[in-house]
Amino acid sequence: ADAVRAERIARTETLAASNAGANEAYKQSPLVEAKEWSAEGDACEFCLELDGKVVGLTEDFAKNGQDVSGN
């Protein structure tokens, strides 16, 4: 159980660092101006409602606790 938890934490932290690096690269690029949420058809209701939403690079797709009602 501890090994599974440790691996889960390691994967989560690795993805967080990778995403942070990608976001920083996007901010420094003169070509990238926004980001778009992309959800697969079997995603959860929350993700499906955000599918296709475009926001600025420093903006959040939704605020914590906010009701999501589509684009």
Side-chain angles (χ1 to χ4, degrees):
D2 287 340
V4 171
R5 184 169 186 270
E7 183 176 350
R8 182 177 299 135
I9 291 169
R11 286 182 181 185
T12 299
E13 294 301 320
T14 299
L15 284 171
S18 176
N19 288 337
N23 283 329
E24 186 59 35
Y26 298 148
K27 289 176 191 174
Q28 292 181 26
S29 170
L31 302 175
V32 181
E33 298 176 353
K35 56 188 177 183
E36 179 179 354
W37 190 281
S38 179
E40 294 292 327
D42 63 348
C44 70
E45 182 179 328
F46 173 83
C47 292
L48 287 173
E49 289 184 25
L50 290 174
D51 190 41
K53 182 174 183 177
V54 177
V55 297
L57 292 175
T58 60
E59 296 178 67
D60 294 326
F61 287 100
K63 303 291 185 229
N64 191 13
Q66 176 184 352
D67 286 336
V68 178
S69 59
N71 298 332

Short mmCIF file of all heavy atoms in Angstrom, two decimals:
data_model
loop_
_atom_site.label_atom_id
_atom_site.label_comp_id
_atom_site.label_asym_id
_atom_site.label_seq_id
_atom_site.Cartn_x
_atom_site.Cartn_y
_atom_site.Cartn_z
N ALA A 1 0.83 -1.20 0.00
CA ALA A 1 0.00 0.00 0.00
C ALA A 1 0.86 1.25 0.00
O ALA A 1 0.54 2.21 -0.69
CB ALA A 1 -0.93 0.01 1.20
N ASP A 2 1.95 1.24 0.79
CA ASP A 2 2.83 2.40 0.83
C ASP A 2 3.53 2.62 -0.51
O ASP A 2 3.71 3.76 -0.94
CB ASP A 2 3.87 2.26 1.94
CG ASP A 2 3.27 2.45 3.33
OD1 ASP A 2 2.19 3.05 3.43
OD2 ASP A 2 3.90 2.00 4.30
N ALA A 3 3.91 1.53 -1.18
CA ALA A 3 4.59 1.65 -2.47
C ALA A 3 3.63 2.22 -3.53
O ALA A 3 4.04 3.05 -4.36
CB ALA A 3 5.13 0.30 -2.92
N VAL A 4 2.38 1.81 -3.48
CA VAL A 4 1.38 2.32 -4.43
C VAL A 4 1.16 3.81 -4.18
O VAL A 4 1.11 4.61 -5.12
CB VAL A 4 0.06 1.54 -4.30
CG1 VAL A 4 -1.04 2.20 -5.11
CG2 VAL A 4 0.26 0.10 -4.72
N ARG A 5 1.05 4.18 -2.92
CA ARG A 5 0.85 5.60 -2.57
C ARG A 5 2.06 6.42 -2.99
O ARG A 5 1.91 7.51 -3.55
CB ARG A 5 0.60 5.74 -1.08
CG ARG A 5 0.29 7.15 -0.66
CD ARG A 5 -0.21 7.22 0.79
NE ARG A 5 -0.62 8.55 1.12
CZ ARG A 5 0.18 9.48 1.63
NH1 ARG A 5 1.45 9.22 1.86
NH2 ARG A 5 -0.29 10.68 1.91
N ALA A 6 3.24 5.93 -2.75
CA ALA A 6 4.46 6.65 -3.13
C ALA A 6 4.53 6.83 -4.64
O ALA A 6 4.89 7.91 -5.13
CB ALA A 6 5.69 5.91 -2.62
N GLU A 7 4.18 5.79 -5.38
CA GLU A 7 4.20 5.90 -6.84
C GLU A 7 3.16 6.91 -7.32
O GLU A 7 3.44 7.71 -8.23
CB GLU A 7 3.95 4.55 -7.48
CG GLU A 7 4.04 4.59 -8.99
CD GLU A 7 3.88 3.23 -9.65
OE1 GLU A 7 3.88 2.21 -8.95
OE2 GLU A 7 3.76 3.21 -10.88
N ARG A 8 1.99 6.90 -6.72
CA ARG A 8 0.94 7.85 -7.10
C ARG A 8 1.40 9.29 -6.85
O ARG A 8 1.21 10.17 -7.68
CB ARG A 8 -0.34 7.56 -6.32
CG ARG A 8 -1.50 8.47 -6.69
CD ARG A 8 -2.78 8.12 -5.95
NE ARG A 8 -3.19 6.77 -6.29
CZ ARG A 8 -3.61 5.87 -5.39
NH1 ARG A 8 -3.67 6.19 -4.11
NH2 ARG A 8 -3.97 4.67 -5.76
N ILE A 9 2.02 9.52 -5.70
CA ILE A 9 2.51 10.86 -5.37
C ILE A 9 3.61 11.27 -6.36
O ILE A 9 3.62 12.41 -6.85
CB ILE A 9 3.03 10.91 -3.92
CG1 ILE A 9 1.84 10.80 -2.95
CG2 ILE A 9 3.81 12.20 -3.66
CD1 ILE A 9 2.24 10.58 -1.51
N ALA A 10 4.52 10.36 -6.67
CA ALA A 10 5.59 10.66 -7.61
C ALA A 10 5.04 11.02 -8.99
O ALA A 10 5.49 11.97 -9.62
CB ALA A 10 6.55 9.49 -7.70
N ARG A 11 4.06 10.26 -9.45
CA ARG A 11 3.46 10.56 -10.75
C ARG A 11 2.75 11.90 -10.74
O ARG A 11 2.85 12.68 -11.69
CB ARG A 11 2.47 9.46 -11.14
CG ARG A 11 3.13 8.19 -11.56
CD ARG A 11 2.11 7.17 -11.97
NE ARG A 11 2.77 5.92 -12.34
CZ ARG A 11 2.14 4.88 -12.83
NH1 ARG A 11 0.83 4.91 -12.99
NH2 ARG A 11 2.80 3.79 -13.14
N THR A 12 2.01 12.19 -9.67
CA THR A 12 1.30 13.46 -9.56
C THR A 12 2.28 14.63 -9.59
O THR A 12 2.07 15.62 -10.30
CB THR A 12 0.47 13.49 -8.26
OG1 THR A 12 -0.48 12.43 -8.30
CG2 THR A 12 -0.24 14.83 -8.08
N GLU A 13 3.35 14.53 -8.82
CA GLU A 13 4.33 15.61 -8.76
C GLU A 13 5.07 15.76 -10.09
O GLU A 13 5.38 16.88 -10.52
CB GLU A 13 5.32 15.38 -7.61
CG GLU A 13 4.68 15.47 -6.24
CD GLU A 13 4.03 16.83 -5.98
OE1 GLU A 13 4.59 17.87 -6.37
OE2 GLU A 13 2.93 16.85 -5.40
N THR A 14 5.36 14.65 -10.76
CA THR A 14 6.03 14.71 -12.06
C THR A 14 5.15 15.41 -13.08
O THR A 14 5.62 16.28 -13.84
CB THR A 14 6.39 13.30 -12.55
OG1 THR A 14 7.28 12.70 -11.61
CG2 THR A 14 7.04 13.31 -13.91
N LEU A 15 3.87 15.06 -13.11
CA LEU A 15 2.94 15.72 -14.04
C LEU A 15 2.77 17.20 -13.70
O LEU A 15 2.69 18.04 -14.61
CB LEU A 15 1.59 15.01 -14.03
CG LEU A 15 1.56 13.69 -14.79
CD1 LEU A 15 0.25 12.97 -14.54
CD2 LEU A 15 1.77 13.92 -16.27
N ALA A 16 2.73 17.52 -12.43
CA ALA A 16 2.59 18.93 -12.03
C ALA A 16 3.79 19.74 -12.50
O ALA A 16 3.63 20.84 -13.04
CB ALA A 16 2.42 19.04 -10.52
N ALA A 17 4.99 19.19 -12.34
CA ALA A 17 6.20 19.89 -12.79
C ALA A 17 6.22 20.01 -14.31
O ALA A 17 6.58 21.07 -14.86
CB ALA A 17 7.44 19.16 -12.30
N SER A 18 5.83 18.97 -15.00
CA SER A 18 5.79 19.00 -16.46
C SER A 18 4.80 20.04 -16.95
O SER A 18 5.09 20.82 -17.87
CB SER A 18 5.41 17.62 -17.00
OG SER A 18 5.27 17.65 -18.40
N ASN A 19 3.62 20.08 -16.35
CA ASN A 19 2.61 21.06 -16.74
C ASN A 19 3.05 22.49 -16.44
O ASN A 19 2.82 23.40 -17.23
CB ASN A 19 1.28 20.76 -16.05
CG ASN A 19 0.61 19.53 -16.61
OD1 ASN A 19 0.85 19.13 -17.74
ND2 ASN A 19 -0.25 18.93 -15.81
N ALA A 20 3.71 22.68 -15.31
CA ALA A 20 4.21 24.01 -14.96
C ALA A 20 5.25 24.47 -15.98
O ALA A 20 5.25 25.64 -16.41
CB ALA A 20 4.79 24.01 -13.56
N GLY A 21 6.13 23.57 -16.39
CA GLY A 21 7.13 23.90 -17.40
C GLY A 21 6.50 24.25 -18.74
O GLY A 21 6.90 25.21 -19.40
N ALA A 22 5.50 23.46 -19.14
CA ALA A 22 4.81 23.73 -20.40
C ALA A 22 4.10 25.09 -20.35
O ALA A 22 4.18 25.88 -21.30
CB ALA A 22 3.81 22.62 -20.71
N ASN A 23 3.44 25.38 -19.24
CA ASN A 23 2.73 26.66 -19.11
C ASN A 23 3.71 27.83 -19.17
O ASN A 23 3.41 28.86 -19.78
CB ASN A 23 1.92 26.71 -17.82
CG ASN A 23 0.64 25.92 -17.92
OD1 ASN A 23 0.05 25.79 -18.99
ND2 ASN A 23 0.21 25.36 -16.81
N GLU A 24 4.86 27.68 -18.56
CA GLU A 24 5.87 28.75 -18.61
C GLU A 24 6.37 28.94 -20.03
O GLU A 24 6.55 30.07 -20.49
CB GLU A 24 7.03 28.45 -17.66
CG GLU A 24 8.03 29.58 -17.55
CD GLU A 24 7.44 30.89 -17.07
OE1 GLU A 24 6.51 30.88 -16.24
OE2 GLU A 24 7.92 31.95 -17.54
N ALA A 25 6.58 27.86 -20.74
CA ALA A 25 7.01 27.96 -22.15
C ALA A 25 5.94 28.65 -22.99
O ALA A 25 6.27 29.49 -23.85
CB ALA A 25 7.31 26.57 -22.70
N TYR A 26 4.67 28.34 -22.76
CA TYR A 26 3.59 28.98 -23.49
C TYR A 26 3.59 30.49 -23.23
O TYR A 26 3.40 31.30 -24.14
CB TYR A 26 2.23 28.41 -23.11
CG TYR A 26 2.05 26.94 -23.42
CD1 TYR A 26 1.25 26.14 -22.62
CD2 TYR A 26 2.68 26.34 -24.51
CE1 TYR A 26 1.07 24.80 -22.89
CE2 TYR A 26 2.51 24.99 -24.79
CZ TYR A 26 1.70 24.23 -23.97
OH TYR A 26 1.53 22.90 -24.25
N LYS A 27 3.78 30.88 -21.98
CA LYS A 27 3.77 32.30 -21.62
C LYS A 27 4.91 33.05 -22.31
O LYS A 27 4.78 34.21 -22.67
CB LYS A 27 3.88 32.47 -20.11
CG LYS A 27 2.65 32.06 -19.35
CD LYS A 27 2.90 32.17 -17.86
CE LYS A 27 1.80 31.52 -17.06
NZ LYS A 27 2.11 31.51 -15.61
N GLN A 28 6.04 32.38 -22.49
CA GLN A 28 7.19 33.02 -23.10
C GLN A 28 7.14 33.01 -24.63
O GLN A 28 7.90 33.71 -25.28
CB GLN A 28 8.48 32.34 -22.63
CG GLN A 28 8.76 32.57 -21.16
CD GLN A 28 10.04 31.93 -20.70
OE1 GLN A 28 10.96 31.71 -21.47
NE2 GLN A 28 10.11 31.62 -19.40
N SER A 29 6.25 32.23 -25.19
CA SER A 29 6.14 32.12 -26.64
C SER A 29 5.32 33.29 -27.20
O SER A 29 4.23 33.57 -26.71
CB SER A 29 5.46 30.81 -27.03
OG SER A 29 5.15 30.80 -28.40
N PRO A 30 5.81 33.91 -28.27
CA PRO A 30 5.01 34.97 -28.90
C PRO A 30 3.86 34.39 -29.75
O PRO A 30 3.00 35.13 -30.19
CB PRO A 30 6.02 35.69 -29.79
CG PRO A 30 7.05 34.66 -30.10
CD PRO A 30 7.12 33.77 -28.88
N LEU A 31 3.82 33.10 -29.91
CA LEU A 31 2.82 32.47 -30.77
C LEU A 31 1.59 31.99 -30.01
O LEU A 31 0.51 31.84 -30.58
CB LEU A 31 3.42 31.28 -31.52
CG LEU A 31 4.64 31.60 -32.40
CD1 LEU A 31 5.20 30.32 -32.99
CD2 LEU A 31 4.26 32.58 -33.49
N VAL A 32 1.74 31.71 -28.72
CA VAL A 32 0.64 31.15 -27.93
C VAL A 32 -0.03 32.25 -27.13
O VAL A 32 0.61 32.93 -26.34
CB VAL A 32 1.15 30.04 -26.98
CG1 VAL A 32 0.01 29.44 -26.18
CG2 VAL A 32 1.88 28.95 -27.76
N GLU A 33 -1.34 32.42 -27.35
CA GLU A 33 -2.08 33.50 -26.69
C GLU A 33 -3.14 33.01 -25.72
O GLU A 33 -3.62 33.77 -24.89
CB GLU A 33 -2.75 34.39 -27.74
CG GLU A 33 -1.76 35.05 -28.68
CD GLU A 33 -2.43 35.85 -29.78
OE1 GLU A 33 -3.67 35.78 -29.90
OE2 GLU A 33 -1.70 36.53 -30.52
N ALA A 34 -3.55 31.74 -25.84
CA ALA A 34 -4.64 31.24 -25.00
C ALA A 34 -4.50 29.73 -24.86
O ALA A 34 -3.66 29.10 -25.51
CB ALA A 34 -5.98 31.59 -25.62
N LYS A 35 -5.35 29.17 -24.01
CA LYS A 35 -5.40 27.71 -23.85
C LYS A 35 -6.86 27.27 -23.95
O LYS A 35 -7.77 28.03 -23.64
CB LYS A 35 -4.78 27.27 -22.53
CG LYS A 35 -5.38 27.92 -21.28
CD LYS A 35 -4.59 27.60 -20.04
CE LYS A 35 -5.18 28.34 -18.83
NZ LYS A 35 -4.41 28.12 -17.62
N GLU A 36 -7.05 26.04 -24.42
CA GLU A 36 -8.40 25.50 -24.63
C GLU A 36 -8.54 24.18 -23.90
O GLU A 36 -7.68 23.33 -23.96
CB GLU A 36 -8.64 25.29 -26.13
CG GLU A 36 -10.00 24.72 -26.45
CD GLU A 36 -10.24 24.54 -27.93
OE1 GLU A 36 -9.39 24.96 -28.73
OE2 GLU A 36 -11.28 23.97 -28.30
N TRP A 37 -9.68 24.02 -23.21
CA TRP A 37 -9.99 22.77 -22.52
C TRP A 37 -10.44 21.75 -23.56
O TRP A 37 -11.27 22.03 -24.40
CB TRP A 37 -11.12 23.01 -21.52
CG TRP A 37 -11.35 21.86 -20.59
CD1 TRP A 37 -12.02 20.72 -20.86
CD2 TRP A 37 -10.91 21.76 -19.24
NE1 TRP A 37 -12.04 19.91 -19.76
CE2 TRP A 37 -11.35 20.52 -18.75
CE3 TRP A 37 -10.18 22.60 -18.40
CZ2 TRP A 37 -11.10 20.10 -17.45
CZ3 TRP A 37 -9.93 22.17 -17.11
CH2 TRP A 37 -10.39 20.94 -16.65
N SER A 38 -9.89 20.56 -23.47
CA SER A 38 -10.26 19.49 -24.39
C SER A 38 -10.60 18.25 -23.59
O SER A 38 -9.77 17.76 -22.82
CB SER A 38 -9.09 19.21 -25.35
OG SER A 38 -9.43 18.17 -26.23
N ALA A 39 -11.81 17.75 -23.75
CA ALA A 39 -12.27 16.58 -23.00
C ALA A 39 -12.67 15.47 -23.95
O ALA A 39 -13.24 15.72 -25.01
CB ALA A 39 -13.46 16.96 -22.11
N GLU A 40 -12.37 14.25 -23.56
CA GLU A 40 -12.80 13.07 -24.32
C GLU A 40 -14.29 12.85 -24.07
O GLU A 40 -14.85 13.33 -23.08
CB GLU A 40 -12.01 11.84 -23.87
CG GLU A 40 -10.53 11.90 -24.20
CD GLU A 40 -10.25 11.85 -25.69
OE1 GLU A 40 -11.01 11.17 -26.42
OE2 GLU A 40 -9.29 12.49 -26.13
N GLY A 41 -14.94 12.10 -24.93
CA GLY A 41 -16.37 11.85 -24.83
C GLY A 41 -16.81 11.14 -23.56
O GLY A 41 -17.94 11.29 -23.11
N ASP A 42 -15.89 10.38 -22.95
CA ASP A 42 -16.24 9.65 -21.73
C ASP A 42 -15.76 10.36 -20.46
O ASP A 42 -15.73 9.78 -19.39
CB ASP A 42 -15.70 8.22 -21.78
CG ASP A 42 -14.18 8.16 -21.84
OD1 ASP A 42 -13.53 9.21 -22.09
OD2 ASP A 42 -13.62 7.07 -21.66
N ALA A 43 -15.44 11.65 -20.59
CA ALA A 43 -14.99 12.43 -19.43
C ALA A 43 -16.15 12.67 -18.47
O ALA A 43 -17.32 12.49 -18.82
CB ALA A 43 -14.40 13.76 -19.90
N CYS A 44 -15.82 13.14 -17.28
CA CYS A 44 -16.85 13.45 -16.29
C CYS A 44 -17.67 14.65 -16.76
O CYS A 44 -17.27 15.40 -17.67
CB CYS A 44 -16.22 13.74 -14.93
SG CYS A 44 -15.31 15.29 -14.83
N GLU A 45 -18.81 14.85 -16.14
CA GLU A 45 -19.73 15.93 -16.52
C GLU A 45 -19.05 17.30 -16.43
O GLU A 45 -19.22 18.15 -17.30
CB GLU A 45 -20.96 15.90 -15.61
CG GLU A 45 -21.99 16.95 -15.94
CD GLU A 45 -23.21 16.86 -15.03
OE1 GLU A 45 -23.57 15.75 -14.60
OE2 GLU A 45 -23.79 17.93 -14.75
N PHE A 46 -18.25 17.51 -15.38
CA PHE A 46 -17.55 18.77 -15.20
C PHE A 46 -16.64 19.05 -16.39
O PHE A 46 -16.66 20.13 -16.97
CB PHE A 46 -16.71 18.72 -13.91
CG PHE A 46 -15.82 19.91 -13.71
CD1 PHE A 46 -16.32 21.07 -13.14
CD2 PHE A 46 -14.49 19.87 -14.07
CE1 PHE A 46 -15.50 22.17 -12.96
CE2 PHE A 46 -13.67 20.97 -13.89
CZ PHE A 46 -14.18 22.11 -13.32
N CYS A 47 -15.84 18.06 -16.78
CA CYS A 47 -14.90 18.23 -17.89
C CYS A 47 -15.63 18.41 -19.22
O CYS A 47 -15.22 19.22 -20.05
CB CYS A 47 -13.93 17.06 -17.97
SG CYS A 47 -12.78 17.02 -16.57
N LEU A 48 -16.70 17.67 -19.41
CA LEU A 48 -17.47 17.79 -20.66
C LEU A 48 -18.08 19.19 -20.80
O LEU A 48 -18.15 19.73 -21.90
CB LEU A 48 -18.55 16.73 -20.73
CG LEU A 48 -18.06 15.31 -20.99
CD1 LEU A 48 -19.21 14.32 -20.88
CD2 LEU A 48 -17.39 15.21 -22.36
N GLU A 49 -18.52 19.78 -19.69
CA GLU A 49 -19.10 21.12 -19.74
C GLU A 49 -18.06 22.17 -20.11
O GLU A 49 -18.39 23.20 -20.69
CB GLU A 49 -19.76 21.47 -18.41
CG GLU A 49 -21.04 20.69 -18.16
CD GLU A 49 -21.75 21.11 -16.89
OE1 GLU A 49 -21.56 22.25 -16.43
OE2 GLU A 49 -22.50 20.29 -16.35
N LEU A 50 -16.79 21.92 -19.77
CA LEU A 50 -15.72 22.87 -20.09
C LEU A 50 -15.13 22.64 -21.48
O LEU A 50 -14.37 23.47 -21.97
CB LEU A 50 -14.60 22.77 -19.05
CG LEU A 50 -14.94 23.28 -17.65
CD1 LEU A 50 -13.79 23.00 -16.70
CD2 LEU A 50 -15.27 24.75 -17.67
N ASP A 51 -15.47 21.53 -22.12
CA ASP A 51 -14.88 21.17 -23.41
C ASP A 51 -15.01 22.31 -24.41
O ASP A 51 -16.10 22.84 -24.64
CB ASP A 51 -15.55 19.91 -23.97
CG ASP A 51 -14.82 19.36 -25.17
OD1 ASP A 51 -13.57 19.34 -25.16
OD2 ASP A 51 -15.49 18.95 -26.13
N GLY A 52 -13.89 22.73 -24.98
CA GLY A 52 -13.87 23.80 -25.97
C GLY A 52 -13.73 25.19 -25.40
O GLY A 52 -13.55 26.16 -26.14
N LYS A 53 -13.78 25.35 -24.09
CA LYS A 53 -13.65 26.68 -23.47
C LYS A 53 -12.22 27.18 -23.66
O LYS A 53 -11.27 26.46 -23.45
CB LYS A 53 -14.00 26.62 -21.99
CG LYS A 53 -13.94 27.98 -21.30
CD LYS A 53 -14.43 27.93 -19.88
CE LYS A 53 -14.41 29.31 -19.26
NZ LYS A 53 -14.94 29.30 -17.90
N VAL A 54 -12.09 28.44 -24.07
CA VAL A 54 -10.79 29.06 -24.30
C VAL A 54 -10.62 30.20 -23.29
O VAL A 54 -11.53 31.02 -23.10
CB VAL A 54 -10.70 29.62 -25.73
CG1 VAL A 54 -9.37 30.35 -25.96
CG2 VAL A 54 -10.88 28.50 -26.75
N VAL A 55 -9.45 30.24 -22.63
CA VAL A 55 -9.13 31.30 -21.68
C VAL A 55 -7.70 31.75 -21.91
O VAL A 55 -6.91 31.06 -22.57
CB VAL A 55 -9.31 30.84 -20.21
CG1 VAL A 55 -10.74 30.47 -19.91
CG2 VAL A 55 -8.38 29.71 -19.87
N GLY A 56 -7.34 32.89 -21.37
CA GLY A 56 -5.97 33.39 -21.45
C GLY A 56 -5.02 32.47 -20.70
O GLY A 56 -5.42 31.67 -19.86
N LEU A 57 -3.74 32.61 -20.99
CA LEU A 57 -2.74 31.72 -20.40
C LEU A 57 -2.65 31.83 -18.89
O LEU A 57 -2.29 30.86 -18.23
CB LEU A 57 -1.37 32.01 -21.02
CG LEU A 57 -1.23 31.65 -22.49
CD1 LEU A 57 0.13 32.08 -23.02
CD2 LEU A 57 -1.43 30.16 -22.69
N THR A 58 -2.97 32.97 -18.32
CA THR A 58 -2.90 33.12 -16.87
C THR A 58 -4.26 32.98 -16.20
O THR A 58 -4.36 33.14 -14.99
CB THR A 58 -2.28 34.49 -16.51
OG1 THR A 58 -3.09 35.52 -17.06
CG2 THR A 58 -0.85 34.60 -17.04
N GLU A 59 -5.29 32.67 -16.98
CA GLU A 59 -6.64 32.52 -16.43
C GLU A 59 -6.93 31.07 -16.08
O GLU A 59 -6.34 30.15 -16.63
CB GLU A 59 -7.68 32.99 -17.45
CG GLU A 59 -7.61 34.45 -17.79
CD GLU A 59 -8.63 34.82 -18.83
OE1 GLU A 59 -9.84 34.75 -18.52
OE2 GLU A 59 -8.23 35.15 -19.95
N ASP A 60 -7.88 30.88 -15.17
CA ASP A 60 -8.36 29.55 -14.82
C ASP A 60 -9.60 29.25 -15.64
O ASP A 60 -10.36 30.15 -15.99
CB ASP A 60 -8.73 29.49 -13.33
CG ASP A 60 -7.51 29.66 -12.43
OD1 ASP A 60 -6.42 29.20 -12.81
OD2 ASP A 60 -7.67 30.26 -11.35
N PHE A 61 -9.82 27.98 -15.92
CA PHE A 61 -11.02 27.59 -16.65
C PHE A 61 -12.27 27.75 -15.79
O PHE A 61 -13.34 28.04 -16.29
CB PHE A 61 -10.90 26.14 -17.15
CG PHE A 61 -9.95 26.01 -18.30
CD1 PHE A 61 -8.66 25.56 -18.10
CD2 PHE A 61 -10.33 26.34 -19.58
CE1 PHE A 61 -7.78 25.43 -19.16
CE2 PHE A 61 -9.46 26.23 -20.66
CZ PHE A 61 -8.17 25.78 -20.43
N ALA A 62 -12.14 27.55 -14.49
CA ALA A 62 -13.24 27.72 -13.55
C ALA A 62 -12.64 28.06 -12.19
O ALA A 62 -11.51 27.70 -11.90
CB ALA A 62 -14.09 26.46 -13.46
N LYS A 63 -13.40 28.75 -11.40
CA LYS A 63 -12.96 29.07 -10.04
C LYS A 63 -13.40 27.96 -9.09
O LYS A 63 -14.41 27.29 -9.33
CB LYS A 63 -13.57 30.40 -9.57
CG LYS A 63 -13.25 31.56 -10.48
CD LYS A 63 -11.79 31.93 -10.41
CE LYS A 63 -11.53 33.16 -11.24
NZ LYS A 63 -10.41 33.05 -12.13
N ASN A 64 -12.67 27.76 -8.03
CA ASN A 64 -13.01 26.74 -7.04
C ASN A 64 -14.40 27.03 -6.49
O ASN A 64 -14.70 28.12 -6.04
CB ASN A 64 -11.98 26.76 -5.91
CG ASN A 64 -12.12 25.57 -4.99
OD1 ASN A 64 -12.82 24.61 -5.30
ND2 ASN A 64 -11.44 25.62 -3.86
N GLY A 65 -15.30 26.04 -6.59
CA GLY A 65 -16.66 26.18 -6.10
C GLY A 65 -17.64 26.75 -7.11
O GLY A 65 -18.83 26.80 -6.84
N GLN A 66 -17.15 27.18 -8.26
CA GLN A 66 -18.01 27.76 -9.29
C GLN A 66 -18.84 26.68 -9.98
O GLN A 66 -18.37 25.60 -10.26
CB GLN A 66 -17.14 28.46 -10.33
CG GLN A 66 -17.88 29.02 -11.51
CD GLN A 66 -16.92 29.61 -12.55
OE1 GLN A 66 -15.74 29.72 -12.31
NE2 GLN A 66 -17.47 30.00 -13.68
N ASP A 67 -20.12 27.00 -10.23
CA ASP A 67 -20.96 26.10 -11.03
C ASP A 67 -20.49 26.19 -12.46
O ASP A 67 -20.26 27.27 -12.99
CB ASP A 67 -22.43 26.51 -10.95
CG ASP A 67 -23.05 26.17 -9.61
OD1 ASP A 67 -22.55 25.26 -8.94
OD2 ASP A 67 -24.04 26.82 -9.25
N VAL A 68 -20.36 25.06 -13.11
CA VAL A 68 -19.93 25.02 -14.50
C VAL A 68 -21.16 24.73 -15.36
O VAL A 68 -21.86 23.74 -15.16
CB VAL A 68 -18.85 23.95 -14.72
CG1 VAL A 68 -18.44 23.88 -16.18
CG2 VAL A 68 -17.65 24.21 -13.84
N SER A 69 -21.42 25.62 -16.31
CA SER A 69 -22.60 25.44 -17.14
C SER A 69 -22.25 25.58 -18.62
O SER A 69 -23.00 26.16 -19.39
CB SER A 69 -23.68 26.45 -16.75
OG SER A 69 -23.18 27.76 -16.90
N GLY A 70 -21.10 25.08 -19.01
CA GLY A 70 -20.71 25.11 -20.42
C GLY A 70 -19.87 26.29 -20.77
O GLY A 70 -19.36 27.01 -19.92
N ASN A 71 -19.69 26.47 -22.08
CA ASN A 71 -18.82 27.54 -22.58
C ASN A 71 -19.46 28.86 -22.31
O ASN A 71 -19.27 29.88 -22.60
CB ASN A 71 -18.54 27.34 -24.07
CG ASN A 71 -17.81 26.03 -24.30
OD1 ASN A 71 -17.10 25.53 -23.43
ND2 ASN A 71 -17.99 25.46 -25.46
#
